[in-house]
Amino acid sequence: MKNILAYSLLLILTSSCNQNDFSDTEMYFLTDKASYRVNDNFEITVIVSPRSGEKKIRIKKNLDNLKISFHTTSTELGFSQELKKHFIEGPSLTTDESEYIDEFTISKTEPFKKTFKGLISESKESIILEIHELNIIDSVAKSELLVNPKITIKGNFHTIFSAKEEYFTPKDIEILIK
């Protein structure tokens, strides 16, 4: 009897984690422009689409399972911003998760889309990118952008109840400071 119960619980946990991932999806960013200047507003749209058919994805309402980072292409290290550290745990067997998690059924014709608005500003030695909704305030040295004005936007979604991550196709933009 214990073995049957253990196998049943394992099956429930495994199936709930598998329904919750971003495997077999195409994930990419769209921006409203290819190049920006200081004091420009910008938009980054997150797109998640299944490779075929329909798929259910779950995203935390506070977007805690989304990470976005910005990297200069003139250096290997660049700079990055992680939205929030996440604590990985199993699904609750007693609480209603809908308070914290949104479930979306996506298809090729109706992918998940979310647009974030931001601002590019400057300080004496840095260019600052801000996306208030995601609590991102990040900067890069002006000297790096003078060498090469390209910045690569990278990101990933991790599944709600596991450490599995699926990555977005990186997107390049330019920030012109001259």
Side-chain angles (χ1 to χ4, degrees):
M1 186 68 177
K2 285 184 180 180
N3 287 342
I4 293 173
L5 181 59
Y7 287 124
S8 298
L9 285 174
L10 184 62
L11 181 62
I12 290 169
L13 289 173
T14 303
S15 67
S16 68
C17 289
N18 288 338
Q19 294 172 358
N20 180 23
D21 68 12
F22 295 88
S23 64
D24 297 322
T25 62
E26 296 173 347
M27 301 189 335
Y28 56 95
F29 299 108
L30 295 178
T31 54
D32 58 327
K33 298 191 293 188
S35 63
Y36 300 91
R37 296 191 177 278
V38 173
N39 297 323
D40 276 356
N41 291 310
F42 66 93
E43 291 183 0
I44 297 174
T45 302
V46 171
I47 310 279
V48 181
S49 175
R51 294 192 197 286
S52 63
E54 286 188 346
K55 182 167 181 69
K56 287 188 180 186
I57 60 171
R58 296 193 312 170
I59 299 173
K60 290 185 179 180
K61 290 184 179 187
N62 65 2
L63 299 171
D64 201 25
N65 61 324
L66 169 65
K67 294 180 190 174
I68 294 177
S69 61
F70 300 91
H71 303 271
T72 60
T73 55
S74 62
T75 63
E76 287 184 26
L77 296 177
F79 64 98
S80 65
Q81 169 69 37
E82 184 175 313
L83 294 180
K84 293 178 182 142
K85 298 290 182 191
H86 54 274
F87 179 75
I88 300 168
E89 59 185 38
S92 170
L93 298 176
T94 59
T95 57
D96 179 15
E97 298 168 350
S98 64
E99 181 179 345
Y100 307 105
I101 298 170
D102 284 328
E103 186 173 279
F104 300 92
T105 300
I106 58 173
S107 67
K108 283 283 194 187
T109 56
E110 292 193 30
F112 172 80
K113 289 184 183 181
K114 175 73 174 159
T115 300
F116 303 101
K117 296 182 182 211
L119 173 67
I120 300 169
S121 59
E122 71 179 318
S123 66
K124 186 175 181 178
E125 296 179 7
S126 299
I127 299 297
I128 302 163
L129 290 100
E130 297 180 64
I131 304 174
H132 292 290
E133 186 176 354
L134 298 175
N135 297 320
I136 293 175
I137 299 174
D138 223 330
S139 63
V140 65
K142 287 181 184 178
S143 59
E144 291 183 37
L145 292 175
L146 288 171
V147 173
N148 184 350
K150 286 189 180 178
I151 289 182
T152 302
I153 305 167
K154 295 182 179 182
N156 67 56
F157 266 117
H158 70 84
T159 59
I160 302 289
F161 298 117
S162 78
K164 176 117 175 96
E165 296 177 337
E166 297 292 335
Y167 293 88
F168 286 85
T169 301
K171 171 77 174 170
D172 290 335
I173 60 171
E174 289 186 337
I175 298 182
L176 307 172
I177 58 174
K178 292 182 182 180

